[in-house]
Amino acid sequence: MKVSSPVGEFPFEIKKVSLKDGRLTLVGHMGAWPATIRIDRSDVPALLRMTPRLIVGLGRLAIRRTRPGD
């Protein structure tokens, strides 16, 4: 996974996923820095609206990686 920002593009590596304080919490590293992503209940509607696009994007990525000669 990569995070793009005005100061550059950084890899984000997830080390741990948990439910903490009623939030989905992803703990990992963004480049050299520790990072935490917390997803609240209030974030769920936006994530659900984006799910079809996410599924299409992941499908295209999977197809691209399984084509012979790629």
Side-chain angles (χ1 to χ4, degrees):
M1 223 181 299
K2 290 196 181 209
V3 176
S4 296
S5 76
V7 296
E9 198 169 84
F10 302 94
F12 180 74
E13 185 178 345
I14 299 170
K15 297 289 187 181
K16 181 178 161 188
V17 177
S18 66
L19 277 174
K20 186 176 180 181
D21 300 325
R23 298 179 184 130
L24 179 61
T25 303
L26 309 174
V27 177
H29 288 89
M30 185 179 74
W33 300 283
T36 302
I37 298 172
R38 291 181 188 90
I39 302 171
D40 276 324
R41 287 184 191 135
S42 62
D43 298 318
V44 172
L47 289 170
L48 290 175
R49 283 192 300 273
M50 293 179 187
T51 299
R53 289 185 216 157
L54 175 64
I55 291 170
V56 168
L58 289 173
R60 287 181 180 163
L61 181 64
I63 289 169
R64 198 174 318 157
R65 290 185 180 237
T66 59
R67 285 187 185 155
D70 285 348

